[in-house]
Amino acid sequence: MPYGSRLAATMTRRLGRECVYTPSARLALYLALRRWCRPGARVLMSPLNDDVILFVVLAAALRPVLAPVSVWDGNIDPAAVPESTWRNVDAVLTTNLYGMPDHVVELRRHCEALGIPLFEDAAHAIGTHVDGQPIGTFGKAAAFSLSKHVAGMAGGFLAVDDARTRRELELLRDDLLTPRSLATDLATTLRPLARSAAHTLHLVRPVWRTLQRLGLLERDGFRMDLHAPLLAACAGRAPSLTAYEPWVRVDLHGYRSRHGSLVRGQLALRMAGLDRDLTRRRAGVSLLSGTTWASPALHERAEHDGLPALFRVPLLVDDRDALVERLVRHSVVSGYVYDPPLDDYAGAEFVELSPDPSAARWFAAHVLPADPLLAHRIAGALTRERATTAHPSVPAPVPEATPPAILGH
Ligand SMILES: Cc1ncc(COP(=O)(O)O)c(C=O)c1O
């Protein structure tokens, strides 16, 4: 049986698509990019994404072309992508940032018209639908991350259309996997348990501060150090995961490890709890969407497809950086802040800059990604900290379905 096929079968039943198991979503995305894009191809993507994904695209020997985004959810704004850019891209990669869906129907229409593949990064979006159809079923291939969905610290899938493509990708994956080690498997199994213990014992704040002081976090700020000269020197070796390893492995060193049954067994158990988890997420989204800080995009979403079970709820706040610091006092560690946008982080040497990065800059500087599983704690902490709602200075059209009354907390 192919590696991870039991987990893949569970995902196939959920999604209705053929799935390849991978130890991470980043490896799943790399597989898709390698399978469908020739080296040198240009990939349209949002500048508001994990830096790791930028490095995955570079490792596949591709050129990231940064798109304009919506100021309300940080995803690609297809209508603002210039015609000249559409004519010059070879693929599109969505983000579904925090679980808020991309304009996937419109993007697919563009891709079909141009005859280019659409890749869905569904790492944040297992609980999101568009027109009743799950994210991850619109594009040529879609990557999912169990680290995000079930806090597994490992695991992912690449969803594709047919069994023949799946088998082909399984072989490509097997070539990229590194051998299993019991020590890595134990660490991968124990880390999520240690994390829930820290939460249960209210140790989040001291543990986080200690890691910070000891320099054990892989990022000093919201983004990792680019090490531009070293990165530039790798270009000649791409496509190669090995060349880009120091960047691609950040936060998940086992991203290409052939984990054994200990890790996969734990992931199977966690996947069995996924629907319960999504229900809890939806309840947290419901609470946070009724606060003054919720992005109006959330209300528009709720109007169309009901409340999504988001990975994080995009709240828009003034003085976001100071708030992130102060929230640690309330045992809330805010991750997944992608600031600055990739235009400013990587520059023209590594990416093609978007025509107007102002919406991306504004969103990146004001979004507070709130874990819906901690909705009560976060809403209480923001109230105590007197957080104020951020409004873009350049008026942007508010999504249609802004609710008539927005409650404060
Ligand atoms: C948008 C997005 N896509 C993909 C990934 C990669 O997921 P994984 O850690 O499973 O490789 C991340 C990681 O944070 C992410 O934020």
Side-chain angles (χ1 to χ4, degrees), residues 22-29 48-53 56 94-98 121-124 143-148 153-156 219 248 250-252 255 311 336 338:
T22 55
S24 63
R26 63 196 78 181
L27 189 70
L29 281 174
L48 299 178
N49 201 336
D50 195 320
D51 1 331
V52 160
I53 303 309
V56 166
T94 65
T95 318
N96 299 300
L97 189 59
Y98 306 132
D121 182 342
H124 293 183
F144 290 89
S145 169
L146 290 179
S147 306
K148 314 287 173 297
M153 303 306 281
R219 302 163 200 254
V248 173
V250 165
D251 297 333
L252 197 64
Y255 79 96
F311 173 57
Y336 304 97
Y338 304 132

Side-chain angles (χ1 to χ4, degrees), residues 296-320:
L298 194 52
H299 305 122
E300 186 207 21
R301 233 349 42 228
E303 190 83 352
H304 276 89
D305 281 283
L307 273 180
L310 297 179
F311 173 57
R312 292 289 182 271
V313 181
L315 305 180
L316 300 173
V317 294
D318 291 320
D319 248 337
R320 195 272 323 279

